[in-house]
Amino acid sequence: MKWRASGLMIAITLMISLLLSGCSSNGNAGGSGQKEKGPDGKKLEDTLVVYSPHGKDILGDFEKQFESKYHVDMKFLDMGSQEVLDRIRSEKNNPQADIWWGAPSELFSQAKDDGLLEKYKPSYAGALDGMFHDSDWYWTGTFKTPEVIMYNTKEVSKKGAPKDWDELLDPKWKDKIIIRYPLASGTMRTIFSAMIYRTYKDTKSPKKGYEWLKKLDANTKKYAANPEMMYNNVAKGVGPISVWDMPDVVMLKEQKGYPFDYVIPKSGTPVLTDGIAIVKNAPHLEAAKAFYEFVNTKASLKKLAEKYYRIPTRSDINQLPRWIDEADIKPMDIDWKVFKEKSNKWMEHWDQQIKSKSKSKE
């Protein structure tokens, strides 16, 4: 009996030892091996929440990559960049997101002023020009995004497509333009604000810009509630003309077979800095830092350029796709501080005084 009891104790001890060993080697969300540490050398949390307008293709791809590398359960919410800002504002006292990935720089600047962002200087800071990061490192730019005139190649010839912004006001385009509803879209808010700023910079009045937007509204057939609806309307010829960002147009044309092409406006175009930031008091701060670094590595940015048609802000990425190297872009001279100060008021005026009620968001 003594021998049997001691043998039982040995067996129990061995089982406990094996269980503890298993927990040590497999105690992560993604598989075997010890969980990698974050950029500060600290242990990562088990979860990461990302708010982003980058779409399910990019977000789903990087979710798999990040989870595989760090064994962190990444959750994302896909919505317009202005909607992200509004949501983070509403959650200020109880943050739910860790990372905000994707929005024009002026929206990040607004968030910084509202105390919604966490300061973080990334490891690749030396590869960023001053125009591609916040002076205090509350956000950094990931992509450069030129805005263009998009058209359906089955409905409009290259020769016949509008070559500049003012050509969109030609009466021949009446009821042929589809616009992404601008109040929820950082891209469209920037384009509309740029049209106002062209004359505002000299006159200090938005009046002529409002007149321009009113004429565009007269030619606009409908305002699409989200990018996918806008793409579908243009592809089907409901309205063969739109304005959007160049990388998305190239992606839709080359990767998804949409009958799209684009014109870079000859007078100049706003070139957005599309950024990334950590949310203030992020529930999973170390995982947020790891993701911030992960999506901005040379390998990630090269993949984003080749597979998802994004133009990196980092100056040390070589051998980018030809369409990036050959693009003849004339950046519009813009004071982004003015955009930050005036954009909300300008868009409120457009919504209340200019937008045709019969063309409400569809």
Side-chain angles (χ1 to χ4, degrees):
M1 291 292 292
K2 265 188 179 182
W3 181 87
R4 290 175 62 189
S6 60
L8 180 61
M9 291 299 295
I10 292 170
I12 292 171
T13 302
L14 180 61
M15 288 176 64
I16 292 172
S17 176
L18 288 171
L19 283 171
L20 289 174
S21 175
C23 289
S24 175
S25 63
N26 293 298
N28 56 60
S32 63
Q34 290 187 348
K35 181 182 290 188
E36 288 202 31
K37 294 181 179 180
D40 292 341
K42 297 179 181 178
K43 182 180 177 182
L44 303 187
E45 300 85 358
D46 291 330
T47 303
L48 174 74
V49 179
V50 178
Y51 289 174
S52 174
H54 283 322
K56 293 180 180 178
D57 289 344
I58 289 178
L59 294 171
D61 191 347
F62 276 82
E63 176 188 26
K64 292 176 183 176
Q65 292 182 63
F66 186 73
E67 288 184 344
S68 176
K69 179 175 175 62
Y70 287 102
H71 311 297
V72 170
D73 181 18
M74 175 185 156
K75 305 176 187 298
F76 66 81
L77 194 57
D78 179 19
M79 65 183 101
S81 52
Q82 181 64 45
E83 292 171 312
V84 174
L85 175 56
D86 293 342
R87 184 165 183 138
I88 291 175
R89 277 178 175 148
S90 71
E91 296 172 350
K92 182 176 183 179
N93 295 326
N94 184 26
Q96 301 299 304
D98 303 299
I99 282 280
W100 176 8
W101 184 27
S105 58
E106 64 267 24
L107 293 189
F108 283 110
S109 294
Q110 290 179 32
K112 172 190 173 182
D113 290 347
D114 290 348
L116 302 175
L117 305 182
E118 195 81 44
K119 183 185 292 189
Y120 180 68
K121 187 174 182 178
S123 62
Y124 56 88
L128 291 176
D129 184 272
M131 68 181 293
F132 296 133
H133 66 82
D134 174 60
S135 58
D136 299 313
W137 298 101
Y138 281 92
W139 58 264
T140 63
T142 302
F143 315 124
K144 295 178 285 188
T145 311
E147 311 308 329
V148 296
I149 297 168
M150 180 175 80
Y151 63 95
N152 180 325
T153 55
K154 292 182 178 180
E155 303 287 335
V156 179
S157 68
K158 186 177 184 71
K159 183 178 179 180
K163 302 299 187 293
D164 213 344
W165 301 110
D166 290 344
E167 293 185 30
L168 294 168
L169 308 185
D170 191 310
K172 71 180 180 180
W173 301 120
K174 184 172 178 60
D175 290 333
K176 294 184 181 297
I177 298 176
I178 306 294
I179 298 292
R180 161 71 164 112
Y181 189 66
L183 295 191
S185 167
T187 296
M188 285 309 309
R189 291 168 74 97
T190 298
I191 293 174
F192 274 25
S193 294
M195 296 304 100
I196 295 172
Y197 183 76
R198 291 188 305 169
T199 52
Y200 178 89
K201 65 181 180 181
D202 297 321
T203 65
K204 304 305 177 188
S205 169
K207 183 177 179 181
K208 288 186 177 180
Y210 289 158
E211 291 172 358
W212 192 96
L213 290 177
K214 188 172 183 177
K215 292 176 182 177
L216 181 68
D217 179 77
N219 280 356
T220 299
K221 182 156 188 163
K222 66 168 65 174
Y223 296 99
N226 56 57
E228 287 70 26
M229 292 180 69
M230 185 264 284
Y231 304 152
N232 288 334
N233 276 279
V234 175
K236 292 175 182 177
V238 175
I241 301 291
S242 189
V243 292
W244 199 238
D245 69 78
M246 185 175 79
D248 276 357
V249 180
V250 178
M251 179 187 69
L252 292 164
K253 173 186 175 182
E254 296 188 359
Q255 193 176 81
K256 299 194 174 182
Y258 280 78
F260 292 168
D261 208 342
Y262 64 88
V263 174
I264 301 174
K266 59 185 179 182
S267 65
T269 189
V271 178
L272 295 178
T273 297
D274 192 287
I276 187 170
I278 298 175
V279 177
K280 183 73 173 179
N281 297 321
H284 313 103
L285 180 59
E286 298 307 317
K289 292 177 182 178
F291 184 83
Y292 196 119
E293 295 281 346
F294 180 73
V295 298
N296 285 289
T297 62
K298 290 183 180 181
S300 291
L301 291 172
K302 193 169 177 60
K303 178 177 182 177
L304 282 159
E306 293 172 347
K307 186 176 180 180
Y308 296 109
Y309 304 86
R310 295 300 194 263
I311 307 174
T313 55
R314 282 184 64 162
S315 60
D316 56 352
I317 312 295
N318 299 318
Q319 297 180 323
L320 291 170
R322 181 179 297 178
W323 69 271
I324 295 177
D325 290 334
E326 295 181 351
D328 184 15
I329 300 166
K330 181 182 178 182
M332 191 179 286
D333 183 18
I334 291 173
D335 185 339
W336 296 103
K337 290 182 180 179
V338 173
F339 270 41
K340 184 180 73 172
E341 295 169 0
K342 302 292 185 180
S343 180
N344 285 340
K345 184 177 181 180
W346 290 347
M347 290 301 95
E348 182 180 343
H349 180 91
W350 173 85
D351 185 51
Q352 296 179 1
Q353 304 295 327
I354 297 175
K355 179 190 67 177
S356 300
K357 301 303 181 184
S358 61
K359 301 171 187 173
S360 297
K361 181 171 57 173
E362 298 180 22

